[in-house]
């Protein structure tokens, strides 16, 4: 990996090592994953079998010492779980005998929370037997880690069960089961606090995403010193848009063409399917290592660019390193600092504060990627974003018909990842949510529209457009609006993961096309940079 010893704003080449990461960053598109369980729309409903499915906190005490609170899922039938812990009482926990809970228990369950395992009979049968035995509630231990939705069977449409019934994942249920089998005194309290309609973490995530797109687009101006601003000044009237494309090409960049856009989305889909079928902890670790390498490079470029803007002479002292070659002392020190940050994040990635380091590394990486990759015109942008639009919708909404679940959500949720989570996401903790968790947005939902917003800024500069007469302010506003609509859709669909590009593409590409048509510049936007260079008789451009 080569690091330049001078600022990108001064004409140095931006390292192209980040370009291969596009294939991995775009593949993990934006997913807002909540607890997604099986659909039961086809199951029978009745007044006694129409409870809302609610997450339930299972507080437990072992020998009077409070243990870790577990999480379960309430059934479609039975009594509703209290909203607050103070509204319920602690009850002793006992195992049913037989453990399946499908026949009258020889254990005394009266006045206790009964624990049974899943299988051998319907959930409603287990609940009826526990209720008849005087149990205060029933916990059913699943045979998998997922929170399965307990619904009524076809013959049980008129139930009279007045105790709460809750499903526990296998690992949580086994903890309680082993404690009881060991003869320990186990007590349980059930309650289900409401999740707020809107959490302020949404605003934090919105600011990070919009700020990343704006910062990446304006990065050349942000890092340019007064002596080097000529490189980014507006072109003279004599210079054509082809001349602008030529000046831009002097920087080391990757232009995306139509064929590359189509091939890329196909590769991204292939990679997503591979993740879905072969997800494992070692696979996630490969992504974590790649993310750290890309994050180090991105953070190095960002910090060095900002420092050299204020102190151009800081790069004069150099040293020679094996494999790297000549590098400035400042660049080397910054590199060591960035490596330390990445290592610290990797070691503490499961800590409650790790989202800060992940977001810093991710934002720096995306800023660097958006300096390297670019869209040459609206024709390529239309192909790329329309393909990404279909890609996002298919893998979130249509893939369940083929795979029995949303592939995109399953990958973002980290199923079969051994507890590891995807690093290619910006995260913000739900600050006022009693259930905790994070709101997330994938790198693809920043990079895809960010490429178009960055193009609009280049086009505005080449044609001396500013303010509302340009395209950049409208597209940045459109991106922010699209992200807002994504969150609105998230809440209107009860937290089901949303394909953010469903909202972002119309609000960015759609805005560009509409403005281009209104202003009569659509043809110019469509073929920007492809016009032949016209020359006058004197031979001058």
């Amino acid at each position: 990996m080569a690091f330049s010893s001078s600022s990108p704003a001064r004409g140095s080449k931006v390292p192209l090592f980040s370009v291969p990461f596009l294939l991995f960053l775009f593949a993990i598109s934006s997913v807002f994953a909540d607890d997604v369980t099986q659909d039961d729309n086809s199951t029978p409903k009745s007044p006694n079998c129409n409870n809302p499915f609610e997450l339930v906190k299972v507080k437990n005490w072992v020998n009077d010492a409070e243990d870790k609170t577990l999480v379960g899922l309430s059934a479609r039938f039975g009594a509703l779980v209290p909203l607050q812990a103070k509204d319920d009482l602690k009850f002793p926990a006992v195992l049913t005998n037989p453990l399946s809970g499908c026949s009258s228990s020889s254990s005394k369950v009266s006045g206790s929370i009964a624990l049974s395992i899943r299988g051998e009979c319907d959930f409603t049968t287990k609940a009826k037997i526990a209720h008849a035995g005087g149990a205060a509630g029933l916990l059913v231990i699943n045979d998998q880690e997922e929170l399965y939705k307990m619904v009524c069977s076809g013959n049980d449409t008129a139930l009279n069960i007045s105790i709460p019934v809750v499903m526990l994942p296998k690992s949580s249920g086994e903890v309680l089961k082993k404690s009881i089998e060991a003869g320990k005194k186990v007590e349980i309290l059930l309650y289900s606090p409401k999740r707020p309609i809107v959490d302020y973490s949404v605003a934090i995530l919105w600011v990070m995403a919009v700020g990343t797109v704006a910062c990446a687009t304006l990065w050349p101006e942000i890092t340019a010193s007064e002596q080097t601003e000529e490189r980014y000044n507006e072109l003279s009237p004599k210079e054509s848009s082809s001349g602008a494309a030529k000046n831009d090409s002097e920087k080391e960049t990757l232009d995306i063409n139509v064929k590359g856009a189509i091939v890329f989305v196909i590769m991204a889909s292939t990679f997503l399917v591979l993740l879905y079928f072969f997800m494992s902890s070692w696979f996630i670790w490969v992504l974590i290592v790649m993310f750290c390498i890309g994050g180090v490079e991105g953070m190095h470029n960002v910090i060095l660019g900002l420092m050299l803007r204020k102190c151009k002479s800081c790069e004069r002292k150099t040293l020679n390193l094996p494999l790297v070659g000549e590098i400035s002392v400042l660049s080397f020190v910054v590199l060591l600092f960035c490596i330390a940050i990445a290592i610290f994040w990797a070691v503490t990635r499961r800590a409650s504060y790790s989202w800060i380091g992940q977001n810093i590394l991710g934002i720096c990486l995306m800023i660097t990627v958006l300096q390297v990759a670019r869209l040459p015109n609206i024709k390529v942008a239309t192909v790329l974003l329309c393909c990404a639009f279909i890609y996002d919708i298919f893998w979130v909404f249509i893939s369940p018909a083929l795979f029995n679940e949303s592939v995109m959500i399953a990958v973002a949720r980290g199923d079969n990842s051994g507890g590891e989570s995807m690093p290619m996401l910006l995260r913000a903790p739900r600050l006022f949510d009693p259930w905790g968790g994070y709101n997330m947005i994938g790198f693809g939902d920043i990079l895809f529209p960010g490429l178009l917003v960055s193009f609009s800024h280049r086009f505005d500069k080449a044609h001396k457009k500013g303010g509302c007469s340009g395209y950049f302010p409208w597209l940045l506003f459109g991106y922010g609006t699209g992200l807002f609509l994504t969150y609105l859709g998230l809440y209107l669909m009860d937290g089901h993961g949303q394909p953010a590009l469903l909202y972002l593409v119309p609000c960015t590409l759609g805005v560009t096309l509409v403005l281009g048509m209104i202003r009569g510049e659509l043809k110019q936007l469509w073929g920007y940079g492809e016009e032949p260079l016209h020359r006058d008789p004197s031979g001058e451009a």
Side-chain angles (χ1 to χ4, degrees):
M1 178 169 58
F3 292 90
S4 174
S5 60
S6 58
S7 168
R10 299 183 60 189
S12 65
K13 294 181 179 180
V14 179
L16 282 176
F17 189 85
S18 296
V19 176
F21 281 92
L22 285 169
L23 298 176
F24 298 93
L25 299 176
F26 289 169
I28 312 301
S29 293
S30 173
V31 176
F32 301 86
D34 250 81
D35 293 298
V36 181
T37 48
Q38 294 175 319
D39 186 20
D40 72 324
N41 292 330
S42 61
T43 60
K45 301 291 193 302
S46 72
N48 294 326
C49 191
N50 199 29
N51 291 346
F53 292 111
E54 301 283 356
L55 289 176
V56 177
K57 286 185 179 289
V58 182
K59 296 187 69 174
N60 62 98
W61 290 261
V62 179
N63 291 337
D64 296 324
E66 185 172 351
D67 207 345
K68 181 181 178 181
T69 298
L70 308 176
V71 176
L73 184 70
S74 65
R76 181 65 84 185
F77 50 86
L80 296 176
V81 179
L83 297 178
Q84 299 179 8
K86 65 181 181 181
D87 296 330
D88 200 4
L89 300 174
K90 288 194 295 184
F91 292 98
V94 297
L95 297 176
T96 59
N97 187 13
L99 203 53
S100 65
C102 293
S103 59
S104 297
S105 178
S106 61
S107 302
K108 185 179 180 181
V109 298
S110 179
S112 304
I113 300 288
L115 268 75
S116 69
I117 61 173
R118 179 182 176 181
E120 297 187 18
C121 62
D122 297 332
F123 295 119
T124 50
T125 301
K126 298 176 188 290
K128 288 178 181 178
I129 293 173
H131 179 251
L138 172 65
L139 298 182
V140 179
I141 304 173
N142 197 10
D143 53 7
Q144 300 177 13
E145 284 305 303
E146 288 76 14
L147 288 173
Y148 189 90
K149 288 182 176 179
M150 294 186 289
V151 298
C152 299
S153 62
N155 299 323
D156 288 324
T157 57
L159 298 175
N160 187 23
I161 299 173
S162 59
I163 61 172
V165 182
V166 177
M167 169 70 73
L168 284 179
K170 181 178 180 180
S171 59
S172 300
E174 286 296 324
V175 170
L176 294 178
K177 179 172 169 288
K178 289 179 180 179
S179 295
I180 297 173
E181 290 176 339
K184 297 179 181 179
K185 175 186 175 184
V186 177
E187 295 177 296
I188 289 176
L189 183 149
L190 305 175
Y191 70 106
S192 179
K194 288 293 184 182
R195 173 165 282 172
I197 297 177
V198 178
D199 191 271
Y200 290 113
S201 62
V202 171
I204 297 173
L205 204 59
W206 188 92
V207 170
M208 284 194 295
V210 176
T212 299
V213 171
C215 187
T217 301
L218 301 173
W219 192 251
E221 285 83 354
I222 293 174
T223 56
S225 61
E226 294 180 1
Q227 290 83 359
T228 59
E229 284 183 350
E230 293 180 0
R231 184 167 179 261
Y232 299 100
N233 280 343
E234 297 171 349
L235 299 175
S236 63
K238 293 182 180 180
E239 292 179 301
S240 66
S241 60
S242 297
K246 183 178 179 180
N247 286 341
D248 280 337
S249 65
E250 292 175 358
K251 299 181 290 182
E252 198 165 354
T253 58
L254 172 68
D255 275 347
I256 303 172
N257 56 32
V258 171
K259 181 179 178 181
I262 297 173
V263 171
F264 172 77
V265 174
I266 294 174
M267 291 180 63
S269 295
T270 302
F271 181 70
L272 188 66
V273 172
L274 289 175
L275 273 175
Y276 177 73
F277 283 110
F278 301 105
M279 176 82 72
S280 61
S281 58
W282 70 265
F283 204 155
I284 300 298
W285 259 108
V286 171
L287 296 180
I288 290 174
V289 172
M290 294 182 66
F291 171 73
C292 288
I293 294 173
V296 166
E297 182 173 351
M299 194 174 183
H300 177 271
N301 286 332
V302 168
I303 294 177
L304 200 61
L306 293 174
M307 294 182 70
L308 292 180
R309 181 183 185 275
K310 296 293 184 180
C311 180
K312 299 182 297 297
S313 61
C314 294
E315 62 176 340
R316 292 177 181 173
K317 294 182 179 180
T318 62
L319 51 87
N320 286 309
L321 296 176
L323 302 179
V324 177
E326 186 177 5
I327 184 173
S328 72
V329 174
L330 175 63
S331 180
F332 181 66
V333 172
V334 172
L335 173 59
L336 293 179
F337 172 76
C338 295
I339 291 175
I341 293 294
I343 293 175
F344 178 78
W345 171 81
V347 172
T348 62
R349 66 192 180 283
R350 296 192 182 187
S352 59
Y353 53 81
S354 65
W355 65 277
I356 299 174
Q358 180 173 329
N359 291 345
I360 292 174
L361 292 170
I363 289 172
C364 291
L365 175 56
M366 285 188 284
I367 290 175
T368 300
V369 168
L370 288 174
Q371 305 312 302
V372 174
R374 69 177 190 176
L375 295 173
N377 48 50
I378 293 302
K379 177 174 67 177
V380 177
T382 301
V383 173
L384 178 65
L385 291 178
C386 285
C387 288
F389 178 81
I390 297 171
Y391 162 84
D392 222 13
I393 293 175
F394 177 85
W395 290 115
V396 173
F397 286 152
I398 302 177
S399 62
L402 301 175
F403 299 90
N404 297 320
E405 64 178 332
S406 171
V407 172
M408 188 78 76
I409 293 177
V411 170
R413 196 170 53 210
D415 294 354
N416 303 320
S417 64
E420 299 290 350
S421 58
M422 285 290 166
M424 277 64 170
L425 300 161
L426 294 186
R427 300 189 300 159
R430 295 170 183 157
L431 303 175
F432 299 99
D433 191 332
W435 294 99
Y438 295 84
N439 281 319
M440 302 175 290
I441 182 171
F443 287 0
D445 294 324
I446 297 174
L447 290 169
F448 273 126
L451 289 169
L452 179 58
V453 175
S454 181
F455 164 77
S456 72
H457 182 60
R458 295 200 320 271
F459 185 86
D460 287 350
K461 289 176 62 179
H463 294 80
K464 296 183 178 181
K465 293 179 177 291
C468 293
S469 64
Y471 289 87
F472 168 64
W474 291 104
L475 262 68
L476 189 62
F477 176 78
Y479 178 75
T481 302
L483 202 56
F484 170 78
L485 293 176
T486 302
Y487 286 111
L488 182 61
L490 176 70
Y491 289 113
L492 291 178
M493 294 187 67
D494 297 324
H496 188 280
Q498 294 293 293
L501 293 177
L502 170 66
Y503 308 92
L504 294 174
V505 171
C507 289
T508 52
L509 180 61
V511 168
T512 306
L513 296 176
V514 170
L515 284 178
M517 292 178 62
I518 294 174
R519 296 172 178 177
E521 297 175 338
L522 186 57
K523 185 176 181 180
Q524 192 176 11
L525 287 164
W526 189 263
Y528 179 70
E530 295 181 351
E531 302 92 339
L533 191 64
H534 298 288
R535 296 181 178 275
D536 60 21
S538 65
E540 294 181 354

